[in-house]
């Protein structure tokens, strides 16, 4: 049986730092998103696609669970009031399109993922901007596992037991990419 206290996912802060010298910048570096700025928050697409609009569990920028500051990106089944989710099968997507000059970058984000081991959890992905990244009423689409970061030897993060910081190396060709967070859960306890 799932613990209500662990049935949430929060993405608190995202930071991109340049690790190579670049001349032109589409996104100001270093980039930081703590989900406190309404203008920056509007650049995020939450609950994309038809399945996202009708899902019981959705992404919200809310006060439900935060690491620092007043807001974070949370999964919620009650409009963002609490960071909890219900037992419905879904792969729900939140993403931000990002264009960076060609180069290598460090991407850091803070997260706390509950869920059930091996069935409910968080994927963080770096995908080509042309990739369709809609939410699914089924299990995670194939692009999720193929593009997800490996964190602590796993693609899906669950039962983290507290806040975690992940730092990943990403590469840009100068084309638009998407930073994607996908919450997946099955329909059982």
């Amino acid at each position: 049986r799932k613990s209500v206290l662990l049935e949430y996912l929060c993405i608190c802060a995202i930071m991109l730092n340049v690790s190579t010298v670049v001349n032109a910048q589409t996104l100001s570096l270093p980039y930081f998103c703590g989900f406190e700025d309404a203008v920056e928050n509007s650049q995020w697409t939450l609950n994309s696609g038809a399945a996202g609009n009708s899902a019981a569990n959705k992404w919200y920028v809310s006060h439900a669970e935060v690491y620092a500051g007043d807001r974070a990106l949370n999964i919620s089944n009650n409009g963002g009031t609490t960071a909890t989710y219900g037992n419905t099968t879904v792969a729900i997507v939140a993403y931000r399109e990002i264009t960076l000059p060609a180069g290598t970058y460090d991407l850091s984000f803070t997260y706390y993922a509950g869920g059930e081991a091996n069935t409910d959890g968080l994927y963080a992905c770096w995908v080509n901007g042309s990739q369709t990244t809609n939410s699914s009423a089924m299990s995670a689409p194939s692009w999720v596992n193929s593009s997800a970061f490996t964190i602590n030897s796993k693609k899906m993060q669950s039962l983290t037991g507290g806040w975690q910081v992940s730092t990943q190396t990403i590469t840009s060709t100068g084309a638009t990419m998407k930073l994607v967070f996908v919450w997946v859960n099955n329909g059982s306890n």
Side-chain angles (χ1 to χ4, degrees):
R1 182 173 176 185
K2 296 181 202 175
S3 166
V4 173
L5 294 176
L6 292 178
E7 289 185 338
Y8 58 85
L9 160 77
C10 302
I11 304 294
C12 188
I14 300 163
M15 184 171 211
L16 272 171
N17 284 315
V18 66
S19 60
T20 60
V21 177
V22 293
N23 295 324
Q25 297 178 358
T26 302
L27 189 67
S28 296
L29 297 172
Y31 164 78
F32 177 81
C33 177
F35 298 101
E36 303 293 328
D37 182 308
V39 173
E40 170 56 29
N41 293 348
S42 71
Q43 300 300 305
W44 284 81
T45 299
L46 308 181
N47 314 309
S48 62
N53 293 330
S54 62
N57 306 316
K58 294 182 181 179
W59 289 104
Y60 295 91
V61 174
S62 74
H63 306 281
E65 185 72 32
V66 299
Y67 175 73
D70 292 324
R71 292 178 184 83
L73 184 61
N74 291 281
I75 283 291
S76 178
N77 64 353
N78 60 15
T81 303
T82 61
T84 58
Y85 69 94
N87 290 328
T88 58
T89 301
V90 70
I92 197 81
V93 173
Y95 70 87
R96 167 72 154 87
E97 288 188 342
I98 298 173
T99 304
L100 297 167
T104 303
Y105 301 84
D106 291 327
L107 167 70
S108 297
F109 56 94
T110 305
Y111 68 98
Y112 189 165
E116 289 180 285
N118 304 315
T119 58
D120 301 347
L122 168 72
Y123 291 88
C125 308
W126 182 245
V127 301
N128 188 293
S130 63
Q131 174 68 54
T132 300
T133 51
N134 287 337
S135 300
S136 169
M138 306 299 285
S139 59
S142 60
W143 62 265
V144 172
N145 197 48
S146 64
S147 62
F149 297 122
T150 300
I151 304 169
N152 300 321
S153 304
K154 301 183 298 182
K155 299 265 184 169
M156 183 175 70
Q157 303 305 301
S158 61
L159 302 174
T160 60
W163 290 97
Q164 307 292 315
V165 175
S166 177
T167 300
Q168 302 291 321
T169 300
I170 59 173
T171 303
S172 173
T173 62
T176 299
M177 299 292 287
K178 291 179 183 176
L179 174 60
V180 185
F181 294 103
V182 182
W183 174 255
V184 175
N185 63 268
N186 65 5
S188 66
N189 286 331

